[in-house]
Amino acid sequence: MHLRLYKEDFLIIAHYLGSIVSLLGVAMLLPFFVALCLQEWAAAVNLLYGVGAALVAGSILRLIKIHPGHITSQQAIIVTGLSWMAVALVGAVPLYLSGHYASFLDATFEAVSAFTTTGLTLACDLDHMALSINMWRFLMQFIGGQGVLVAALALGLFSTHGGGGPLLYATEGRGDYILPAIKQTTRLIWSISGIVILMGTVAAFVCMLVAGIDPFRGAFHSLWLSIAAFDTGGFAPQSMGIIHYHSVFLELVVTIIGCLGCVSFLLYAALIKGKTSEIFRNIEMRTFFLWTSATFLLCTIALASKSLFNPLFSLIRRGGFTLLSAASNTGFSNVYPGQIVSIMVSGAVFAIILAMTVGGASGSTSGGIKTLRIGIIVKSLLQNIKAVLLPETALPTGRYHNVTTRVLTPEVTSTALTITLLYIASYVIGAVVGIVMGYDSIPAMFESISAASNTGLTAGVTTTATPAVLKVVYIFQMWTGRLEFITIFAVIYAAGSSLIHRRKKAVKHG
Amino acid sequence: MASCRPIADASSMAVLPRLASTLCTVLLLCLLACPGIALAAEEEGGLGERHSRSEASYVTIAELVRTNADYNGAYVEVEGEAVGDIINGDDSQHCWVNLSSGGATIGVYMSAGNAAKVKNLGRYGVEGTTLAVYGIYHIACNEGHEGELDIHADIVEIKGIGGAVEDVAFDRPFAFGALGLVGIGLVLLGAYVYLKRYGVEVSRKPLKPRK
């Protein structure tokens, strides 16, 4: 199969990208109206620039090919890969104009971090940021959490474009259909998210009132924190993050919502249908429980060896919260970055790194390798051991249960291993670049894994002073990590082979 | 009961108590000659051990949040702007005030009386009250705060009241530029919709065959 792109392919891809960028402009109207209502005039103008940029860029791209016709799987992959970067570039416009970012690169970093639900931030003076700009940050996390293309599909943007919808859905890293129709599936994802976020908002709002925060600000903050928790984003509206609220109850609420965010939407659909036993049978839930328990135990033992967090409750509140936040890839932290690298024992940091590496379920808002792949790899390993022990004539067949019982084929294992290896390679490459840039190995490794697994915990490496090269590497890691590599590699391969072909053609004719 | 709200209660005072208060103030001024007694009076409402200001080491908040073990348990002086919200403490007598300076923020646990000195909280369009805080710094506070990195304030001084700041980022030509950009975008969108409906026939040309 040729992955080379022709002119026609470029035109169709441009049209679809234009549609998505235009939709982003519509989404930006929500914070714009918030700005108008709150009389945040400067912020309103910044957001209006964002709307304008989205409209202009989106319309020009759509005008390139007015009738795109059917989209092929090859084009769909490239649209998916590029759309996440395109929305981040346009989404960065109001952020940059707000004056809270040192450069457009920093604003783009923030937008990529938001859309990929990573949660690493480069915002300066976040405490004085307009509520409407903050609203935009969290709205980007919400859109990214559900999936940029899922958002477009849920709103019926591609319903008239032949087979485009299902292809785009599949290429965004969501292989399973929850419902037979694509539109219903995407709407179910949004409905589940809406219900959980609403529940989280109410619970967080009560905590805010108990903490003495005024109800107006409390309402905004509780909604945002609930979005950030369920979408495993981890942004916070204040510079101190979740520490700002000094509330153990709020930490409990975001932990629960964050853990709900790393459950697969497929499992939610099964639970809605009354299949409650799925919680205990599901390979992803089992793996998540075992992996999180193991890392939690390791973290607790390591922290207990040093009398830093003295009463057990202190140890559980600080270590346990951070670990669960890492395991769910939420990225909230109730310890300062400085505390992670300088006073936490290395065993606890190692446990947090392990928890981040895997993340939540596939088909959830979570990032990382995913519990499904780890479960499949472990099952496959056990199957291989069984095959060695059994007589040569016996053919053991492995199975795993993910809502339905499925056969563990070599193809499934191979795909799981490939993606796992790509994640590990990304973690290592990011860490090496960090070390080359002069950072210590543990913070460099911590930050690299946090970026590539879309967690967002920081060991203090990600600041405005971080070298631009490292920021670009983290942007690439967040982008590839969210789309699970293959899509991005397909974009790079297709672009590369098209370029080589053009050059060869030019040499031949010239 | 003391309140944790930033604006102090303006309770009306009767004439006699006010007179008594004035006399007390005069007496207090006389006692200033004795540094020990004066210090005790300043520290009213503080937490924990009593220290003199001269004992405090001036540290930036950025230095403290980087977790500087040298200062753990030390009496420090920090200065910063109160931002965000005043959060209720473990009891009605105490509050959390978050102080920000130089891009770093730290939680300061203080008495409700001291927290009431905060007239403005740093938010969008508001510059918060700037405080100088003298207190004990903990890398991981185990005095009821479950390992939080914090300062337990002893003395709190107002360095600046703060207040509303003008929306400096807003200027009219810049706003017209935004409207112009949206206008261009709408024209282009209109052109796309028009061409889609009436302008161009649906391309029936097959895609270029793959070699």
Side-chain angles (χ1 to χ4, degrees):
Chain A
M1 182 191 165
H2 290 274
L3 263 173
R4 200 171 71 220
L5 297 173
Y6 294 86
K7 189 185 165 191
E8 188 73 13
D9 296 318
F10 282 114
L11 301 183
I12 293 169
I13 290 163
H15 174 91
Y16 277 87
L17 281 178
S19 301
I20 292 161
V21 168
S22 299
L23 188 72
L24 193 75
V26 177
M28 234 180 269
L29 288 174
L30 177 66
F32 172 70
F33 287 125
V34 170
L36 291 184
C37 293
L38 300 177
Q39 300 182 345
E40 295 174 345
W41 307 121
V45 171
N46 299 334
L47 286 158
L48 206 57
Y49 267 103
V51 174
L55 271 179
V56 170
S59 301
I60 289 172
L61 286 169
R62 288 168 99 184
L63 279 165
I64 288 172
K65 179 82 182 167
I66 293 166
H67 297 284
H70 290 263
I71 189 168
T72 63
S73 57
Q74 183 193 7
Q75 292 159 354
I77 287 174
I78 292 160
V79 167
T80 304
L82 293 179
S83 64
W84 283 72
M85 200 42 84
V87 292
L89 286 169
V90 176
V93 171
L95 298 182
Y96 176 62
L97 293 175
S98 73
H100 287 275
Y101 296 88
S103 63
F104 191 74
L105 177 66
D106 285 11
T108 307
F109 182 99
E110 186 88 353
V112 171
S113 177
F115 279 113
T116 58
T117 69
T118 305
L120 288 169
T121 182
L122 287 176
C124 309
D125 196 16
L126 192 55
D127 300 309
H128 291 95
M129 186 179 268
L131 286 173
S132 51
I133 297 290
N134 246 326
M135 175 70 103
W136 177 233
R137 290 172 74 229
F138 288 92
L139 189 60
M140 285 192 287
Q141 281 211 327
F142 179 73
I143 295 168
Q146 318 319 306
V148 169
L149 293 164
V150 166
L153 291 164
L155 296 170
L157 193 68
F158 298 122
S159 57
T160 55
H161 293 311
L167 280 171
L168 290 166
Y169 177 83
T171 52
E172 209 175 38
R174 295 179 195 277
D176 288 307
Y177 279 75
I178 301 169
L179 293 170
I182 194 81
K183 207 167 176 177
Q184 285 171 313
T185 300
T186 53
R187 285 187 177 167
L188 181 72
I189 289 173
W190 273 51
S191 305
I192 293 165
S193 306
I195 292 165
V196 180
I197 287 169
L198 185 69
M199 280 162 33
T201 304
V202 172
F205 185 63
V206 172
C207 296
M208 297 266 175
L209 292 182
V210 170
I213 295 168
D214 76 76
F216 179 75
R217 269 171 68 84
F220 274 104
H221 283 217
S222 49
L223 171 68
W224 295 339
L225 289 178
S226 185
I227 288 174
F230 184 70
D231 289 317
T232 62
F235 269 168
Q238 298 287 148
S239 60
M240 286 171 86
I242 203 78
I243 309 173
H244 174 87
Y245 306 96
H246 307 280
S247 166
V248 66
F249 299 110
L250 187 67
E251 287 164 18
L252 194 65
V253 168
V254 295
T255 302
I256 293 167
I257 301 293
C259 287
L260 289 175
C262 67
V263 174
S264 159
F265 284 107
L266 198 64
L267 184 61
Y268 274 115
L271 293 174
I272 290 167
K273 287 175 191 163
K275 296 178 184 171
T276 46
S277 62
E278 280 299 324
I279 297 175
F280 308 104
R281 292 181 69 199
N282 192 281
I283 186 172
E284 297 203 89
M285 290 305 288
R286 283 179 175 187
T287 313
F288 180 75
F289 180 75
L290 286 173
W291 188 261
T292 307
S293 302
T295 49
F296 187 89
L297 199 66
L298 177 62
C299 183
T300 309
I301 292 168
L303 284 175
S305 68
K306 199 175 167 186
S307 59
L308 181 71
F309 299 115
N310 208 350
L312 186 66
F313 184 64
S314 301
L315 195 150
I316 290 171
R317 181 173 173 191
R318 300 292 153 193
F321 177 86
T322 309
L323 189 114
L324 284 174
S325 176
S328 63
N329 277 182
T330 310
F332 286 125
S333 179
N334 62 0
V335 289
Y336 284 84
Q339 282 180 302
I340 290 178
V341 288
S342 61
I343 60 169
M344 269 199 178
V345 284
S346 57
V349 177
F350 180 64
I352 292 166
I353 287 175
L354 281 181
M356 279 197 292
T357 308
V358 173
S362 64
S364 72
T365 63
S366 182
I369 295 169
K370 310 278 180 342
T371 48
L372 179 64
R373 296 198 180 99
I374 298 296
I376 285 171
I377 291 166
V378 171
K379 279 240 172 196
S380 176
L381 181 71
L382 293 174
Q383 194 190 338
N384 283 337
I385 293 168
K386 223 185 268 179
V388 171
L389 296 173
L390 285 170
E392 278 179 25
T393 48
L395 282 170
T397 314
R399 284 187 168 78
Y400 65 99
H401 187 84
N402 185 21
V403 180
T404 54
T405 303
R406 304 162 196 222
V407 179
L408 192 63
T409 60
E411 289 77 27
V412 169
T413 311
S414 162
T415 309
L417 272 169
T418 307
I419 304 285
T420 304
L421 283 173
L422 286 170
Y423 269 107
I424 292 168
S426 175
Y427 296 155
V428 172
I429 290 167
V432 168
V433 175
I435 292 164
V436 169
M437 291 286 152
Y439 291 94
D440 287 341
S441 56
I442 289 178
M445 176 62 87
F446 191 98
E447 213 80 359
S448 167
I449 292 175
S450 179
S453 66
N454 303 125
T455 305
L457 284 173
T458 178
V461 175
T462 309
T463 64
T464 48
T466 306
V469 176
L470 197 54
K471 285 177 190 169
V472 172
V473 169
Y474 289 158
I475 286 174
F476 189 72
Q477 281 187 297
M478 291 189 278
W479 183 37
T480 50
R482 179 65 180 85
L483 293 172
E484 302 190 333
F485 302 99
I486 301 296
T487 307
I488 307 299
F489 289 163
V491 173
I492 295 166
Y493 184 84
S497 58
S498 303
L499 205 72
I500 291 164
H501 175 73
R502 280 173 76 89
R503 190 165 285 178
K504 274 183 185 169
K505 211 171 164 184
V507 170
K508 203 175 167 183
H509 290 88
Chain B
M1 192 180 77
S3 164
C4 284
R5 300 276 62 82
I7 310 299
D9 292 335
S11 57
S12 59
M13 292 174 78
V15 179
L16 275 176
R18 188 174 288 181
L19 196 66
S21 163
T22 312
L23 281 171
C24 285
T25 312
V26 171
L27 193 66
L28 199 68
L29 285 169
C30 295
L31 288 171
L32 274 173
C34 175
I37 298 168
L39 186 67
E42 278 177 350
E43 286 167 350
E44 196 182 336
L47 298 169
E49 290 174 52
R50 302 283 160 86
H51 295 263
S52 82
R53 284 181 206 180
S54 56
E55 288 175 45
S57 332
Y58 181 82
V59 202
T60 62
I61 293 172
E63 218 173 322
L64 292 181
V65 300
R66 272 201 299 270
T67 314
N68 197 329
D70 294 342
Y71 292 109
N72 191 24
Y75 192 64
V76 295
E77 178 197 350
V78 291
E79 200 173 308
E81 178 194 357
V83 291
D85 310 271
I86 294 181
I87 312 288
N88 293 335
D90 309 331
D91 52 54
S92 59
Q93 302 300 312
H94 297 97
C95 296
W96 285 99
V97 173
N98 298 316
L99 279 196
S100 172
S101 170
T105 315
I106 194 166
V108 180
Y109 194 64
M110 60 175 73
S111 69
N114 276 332
K117 293 176 185 172
V118 178
K119 302 296 176 197
N120 292 290
L121 287 160
R123 295 171 182 178
Y124 178 71
V126 181
E127 191 197 334
T129 301
T130 304
L131 302 175
V133 169
Y134 298 79
I136 309 280
Y137 165 70
H138 303 103
I139 270 184
C141 177
N142 286 320
E143 292 172 26
H145 297 139
E146 292 98 29
E148 181 156 346
L149 185 150
D150 65 10
I151 294 173
H152 284 210
D154 188 14
I155 303 168
V156 175
E157 284 179 353
I158 307 289
K159 292 285 180 181
I161 289 292
V165 289
E166 209 181 321
D167 204 352
V168 284
F170 181 78
D171 69 90
R172 222 170 266 265
F174 191 64
F176 282 124
L179 286 172
L181 191 65
V182 173
I184 294 167
L186 287 173
V187 167
L188 288 169
L189 184 66
Y192 166 73
V193 172
Y194 179 82
L195 288 172
K196 194 181 177 189
R197 281 203 182 162
Y198 313 109
V200 183
E201 280 294 306
V202 178
S203 170
R204 300 200 183 278
K205 201 171 80 176
L207 291 179
K208 197 172 175 181
R210 302 279 190 266
K211 288 175 186 173

